[in-house]
Amino acid sequence: MKKYIILFLFCSIILSSCNDLFNIEPKDKLTTTTSFKTYDNFKTYNWGLYEIFNGDATDVWDKDKNSHLMVNNNSSNSNVWAYQNVTEATENSEWNFEYIRRVNTMIDNIDGSEMSETEKAHWRSVGLFFRSFRYFQLLSKYGGVPWIEHVLGENDTEVLYGPRATRDEVAANILRDLEEAEKNIKPAGDGNNTINQKVVQALISRFAIFEGTWRKYHGLNDAEKYLQVCADYSKKLMDAVPNVADNYELLFTSESLAGMPGVLLYFEYSDQAGLTHQGGRQAGSSGNIYEGTKELVNLYLCSDGKPIGNSEQYKGDATVYDEFRNRDYRLYYTIVPPFRVKVNGNNDTNWKRYQPGETVTFGASTYVLTEEDCQKFTENIDLLERISESGHKRLPSRAWNASTLNGSAPRFRPYSQGGGTPFTGRFGYWFWKYYNEADCLTKHAQNTTDMARFRIEETMLNYAEAMCELGKFDQEVANLTINKLRPRANVALMKVADINDSFDPNRDQTVPALLWEIRRERSVELLGENFAFDDLRRWKKGDYLKKELTGCWVKNADYNNTLEIKGYGTVEGSADKEGYVVFRQQPKGFLDHYYLYPIPIKELVLNPQLKQNPGYKETAD
């Protein structure tokens, strides 16, 4: 399998480094007239197209920081959508059709090859998958875009300088191409971890739930059509892949995802090939401050299957220990749980537990510790020892350089308690979903844990949502979807009959109770996998970005009065107060026209027929 990844990355580097590859025919290199003859020719070319699954680790979660559930707190107003800083830039890497040209180059050369009709149909299907994947990205961002099915020449001015195809046309063409690909691709693809029939079905499921709900909540036609397509293809895939991974953590911390139940396609990393990422290092370093928000933490159910507003297991959030107790295991795998131990400087790995009766100083506060204090300081250390099956996630947390050991969590950038800033943020909810201690400590910035690009859990959640939107969600559907996810998270199964308007008093009251629970499950299962922001866009819930985001509840004196507490305006005004920590400025709010991205002004100048998306500038003033 590694040879496939190595080959496709090699091709990616070659192809991406030469945008004019198909405009020039050097005598010492393969060209379109010589390289598209045999099955193996197409197979070799195809590896380069896999680069659309970006290999940078932060790309896996970077878009989620634009949602209300996750932030990068390097800046107090870094979310351009929430703070109304989106500009109609003259340059925009998102508006780019070079990749589509590369796919079309392959597709256009299939008929003239030496392959059999079956082989031709297979490679056309692979090409249609990749082209559809890219067009889905463009449709999501811009709505209607130019539709290009063949390689264009300089004389194809009607297309080069023509208007955009409508959203209806683009969406219909994507669905048409994916359905053709699903029928004609080799069911097993071209070996392990390659595009195959199941991966095509997974993309249909992903595309159709997006398009169906976009149309429903943005007032467009054919919403039910796409929702039904999602339900049909999702069910087909679920019948073929009925099982999920037994351990949620291992989906994000494993050196190899080969053979992992439910993983359909993944990005494979290798020391030998020099293909590495920094996912683990990012979690254990101070370079970025990726954190969850209070909104995210509130979404996780208690282990009895009830939300925090309706569960006897939840004892409030006056301390972070209470807040994290008896919760969905996915919370502990995603956000560093609270703990406190004794360390003699930040390089001391021989940590010790606090003992009852000790007098200790935390910031500006002094306490005589009780037995209850000492128990809560280490309860999550003991919990992770039990539930981190491979030991990839252990407390106390250790930084990427193998020496720094944190004495406590949460840790805050203004008062890091012992020096050093790894695992030290602004909200107290440090994101560590992809952190594998062994991989991080021994390999620093060269992590090799694999990363899934399609997994069956997403398809199950797509199916659950589509069936709910169609009015067909019942206990049987719950058992086929959400109730397959919860056992590995130590959460009681969903009982559809129990979910009514009073099930979660804290829900968005404009969302039906059952649909809210399905959206909740999606949010906690897929957090940090680049779905959260696009989910807000397709649900037309940009108003979630208007609310002031907060972190955990703190006693400011415990942090030497260095934090700002919600409601007190400044750090100085927050002295000796307690409440929810804040850092980010009050957002201005998501503008209605932000649901679509702006077309770069440079493109409008080059082609006046494109026309800007509503609400944005047509020219650079």
Side-chain angles (χ1 to χ4, degrees):
M1 185 189 311
K2 290 190 185 296
K3 66 182 179 181
Y4 297 144
I5 294 292
I6 294 168
L7 182 56
F8 107 63
L9 260 292
F10 173 76
C11 293
S12 298
I13 293 169
I14 296 298
L15 293 173
S16 63
S17 66
C18 186
N19 291 334
D20 295 326
L21 177 63
F22 305 117
N23 299 326
I24 304 172
E25 295 189 357
K27 295 180 180 180
D28 61 341
K29 290 183 171 63
L30 293 174
T31 68
T32 56
T33 58
T34 61
S35 63
F36 292 110
K37 294 298 183 183
T38 67
Y39 187 96
D40 285 342
N41 290 156
F42 284 87
K43 188 173 182 178
T44 299
Y45 184 89
N46 169 72
W47 296 129
L49 300 179
Y50 279 79
E51 73 172 29
I52 199 166
F53 304 113
N54 195 309
D56 178 18
T58 54
D59 178 71
V60 178
W61 64 79
D62 199 52
K63 198 191 304 182
D64 280 8
K65 75 182 189 312
N66 292 325
S67 75
H68 64 307
L69 301 179
M70 186 175 172
V71 293
N72 184 348
N73 271 333
N74 263 324
S75 168
S76 66
N77 62 350
S78 62
N79 186 332
V80 297
W81 307 96
Y83 293 93
Q84 300 179 7
N85 291 324
V86 177
T87 62
E88 302 82 350
T90 54
E91 299 286 348
N92 186 337
S93 60
E94 302 286 346
W95 182 275
N96 187 299
F97 292 82
E98 187 272 337
Y99 183 84
I100 289 172
R101 177 182 175 88
R102 286 168 52 192
V103 178
N104 285 340
T105 298
M106 184 184 82
I107 293 176
D108 284 355
N109 282 277
I110 288 175
D111 287 342
S113 71
E114 300 170 354
M115 296 187 294
S116 69
E117 293 304 311
T118 300
E119 292 172 334
K120 290 178 180 179
H122 169 71
W123 285 116
R124 175 174 170 78
S125 298
V126 174
L128 292 178
F129 170 89
F130 282 120
R131 190 172 72 189
S132 297
F133 192 100
R134 177 60 182 142
Y135 261 118
F136 176 26
Q137 292 177 330
L138 292 168
L139 177 74
S140 167
K141 292 178 173 65
Y142 301 105
V145 292
W147 184 263
I148 306 169
E149 292 195 352
H150 301 283
V151 176
L152 300 178
E154 62 183 17
N155 295 324
D156 295 316
T157 55
E158 291 186 5
V159 179
L160 286 170
Y161 301 104
R164 295 192 279 172
T166 66
R167 185 181 193 104
D168 286 350
E169 292 171 322
V170 176
N173 288 344
I174 291 173
L175 180 57
R176 175 203 67 193
D177 288 352
L178 286 174
E179 289 187 323
E180 178 183 337
E182 195 267 345
K183 291 177 183 176
N184 296 302
I185 198 168
K186 290 167 61 176
D190 287 279
N192 294 331
N193 203 26
T194 61
I195 306 302
N196 56 38
Q197 188 178 55
K198 293 183 178 67
V199 177
V200 177
Q201 291 166 351
L203 180 57
I204 295 175
S205 171
R206 180 183 295 181
F207 161 69
I209 192 61
F210 183 95
E211 190 63 15
T213 50
W214 181 284
R215 288 171 176 271
K216 176 174 180 176
Y217 294 106
H218 290 263
L220 305 181
N221 62 314
D222 289 337
E224 188 168 318
K225 167 189 169 182
Y226 286 95
L227 291 170
Q228 190 61 56
V229 167
C230 175
D232 292 343
Y233 280 91
S234 298
K235 183 60 164 60
K236 189 175 183 179
L237 179 55
M238 288 160 50
D239 287 344
V241 186
N243 298 319
V244 303
D246 293 335
N247 186 293
Y248 182 78
E249 175 210 354
L250 295 181
L251 286 166
F252 312 101
T253 62
S254 294
E255 286 293 330
S256 174
L257 289 175
M260 182 75 71
V263 175
L264 306 172
L265 190 75
Y266 60 94
F267 205 110
E268 184 174 4
Y269 296 87
S270 165
D271 279 324
Q272 291 76 16
L275 305 175
T276 63
H277 63 83
Q278 296 190 39
R281 185 184 189 280
Q282 293 286 4
S285 73
S286 59
N288 289 294
I289 311 179
Y290 288 101
E291 298 184 88
T293 66
K294 180 65 174 172
E295 292 283 318
L296 169 68
V297 174
N298 283 351
L299 282 179
Y300 289 88
L301 295 172
C302 294
S303 57
D304 60 6
K306 296 179 180 180
I308 61 173
N310 191 27
S311 173
E312 294 182 358
Q313 291 184 332
Y314 187 67
K315 303 304 180 184
D317 58 6
T319 76
V320 283
Y321 302 99
D322 289 338
E323 181 179 29
F324 271 71
R325 196 171 293 124
N326 301 318
R327 302 294 291 276
D328 183 329
Y329 282 178
R330 288 171 292 192
L331 174 58
Y332 314 129
Y333 295 139
T334 303
I335 302 298
V336 177
F339 68 89
R340 187 181 291 273
V341 295
K342 292 191 289 187
V343 293
N344 184 22
N346 67 321
N347 291 327
D348 179 20
T349 58
N350 297 312
W351 61 273
K352 296 179 176 61
R353 298 173 187 250
Y354 282 103
Q355 300 300 316
E358 287 188 75
T359 299
V360 297
T361 298
F362 301 142
S365 300
T366 300
Y367 299 94
V368 176
L369 297 181
T370 66
E371 185 172 342
E372 181 183 1
D373 291 330
C374 298
Q375 186 276 329
K376 69 185 181 183
F377 287 169
T378 56
E379 64 182 277
N380 289 315
I381 294 176
D382 298 333
L383 175 65
L384 285 179
E385 283 288 339
R386 296 198 310 271
I387 70 174
S388 182
E389 188 171 293
S390 60
H392 291 158
K393 282 194 162 52
R394 295 188 302 172
L395 297 177
S397 50
R398 298 177 66 189
W400 64 272
N401 62 7
S403 61
T404 302
L405 183 142
N406 298 328
S408 65
R411 287 160 56 85
F412 295 95
R413 192 61 52 112
Y415 184 71
S416 57
Q417 297 168 280
T421 53
F423 289 90
T424 308
R426 302 283 186 174
F427 278 0
Y429 299 131
W430 191 267
F431 177 77
W432 74 333
K433 184 170 180 175
Y434 296 89
Y435 178 77
N436 173 325
E437 183 184 78
D439 192 56
C440 179
L441 298 186
T442 60
K443 299 177 182 177
H444 304 335
Q446 287 79 45
N447 306 137
T448 54
T449 48
D450 291 346
M451 294 192 177
R453 290 301 188 262
F454 285 96
R455 58 188 181 95
I456 195 62
E457 292 91 340
E458 178 207 342
T459 304
M460 290 175 173
L461 291 164
N462 295 342
Y463 180 68
E465 187 178 346
M467 292 294 280
C468 188
E469 294 284 9
L470 292 167
K472 300 177 181 179
F473 190 93
D474 56 18
Q475 189 62 50
E476 181 180 358
V477 176
N479 292 340
L480 289 173
T481 57
I482 290 171
N483 284 344
K484 290 197 173 185
L485 310 183
R486 290 192 176 180
R488 81 244 213 283
N490 193 41
V491 178
L493 301 182
M494 173 185 277
K495 295 180 181 179
V496 176
D498 290 347
I499 299 173
N500 52 37
D501 286 346
S502 63
F503 186 74
D504 184 359
N506 300 321
R507 83 172 199 276
D508 176 350
Q509 296 296 314
T510 68
V511 180
L514 184 57
L515 182 59
W516 177 260
E517 293 308 311
I518 292 168
R519 290 183 179 182
R520 177 207 305 279
E521 197 77 26
R522 177 183 183 86
S523 296
V524 301
E525 175 73 25
L526 300 179
L527 191 279
E529 298 179 58
N530 268 354
F531 292 101
F533 181 58
D534 285 343
D535 285 345
L536 292 189
R537 293 175 56 239
R538 66 185 176 91
W539 296 332
K540 206 172 183 182
K541 286 295 182 182
D543 59 301
Y544 289 178
L545 294 181
K546 191 173 183 178
K547 183 177 180 180
E548 183 178 26
L549 298 179
T550 69
C552 64
W553 185 281
V554 297
K555 292 181 179 179
N556 204 3
D558 289 351
Y559 300 94
N560 219 27
N561 289 316
T562 56
L563 308 179
E564 181 182 340
I565 306 299
K566 180 177 173 64
Y568 294 100
T570 64
V571 173
E572 291 74 20
S574 302
D576 297 320
K577 303 298 192 300
E578 59 181 277
Y580 298 114
V581 64
V582 295
F583 170 69
R584 301 170 75 83
Q585 300 173 20
Q586 174 69 41
K588 296 178 180 180
F590 189 89
L591 297 175
D592 194 57
H593 64 273
Y594 280 179
Y595 287 106
L596 291 176
Y597 288 43
I599 297 175
I601 289 174
K602 178 180 178 181
E603 300 299 331
L604 301 178
V605 173
L606 291 172
N607 180 7
Q609 290 200 69
L610 283 177
K611 304 303 179 185
Q612 182 61 279
N613 277 325
Y616 293 106
K617 295 177 183 178
E618 296 278 350
T619 60
D621 295 338

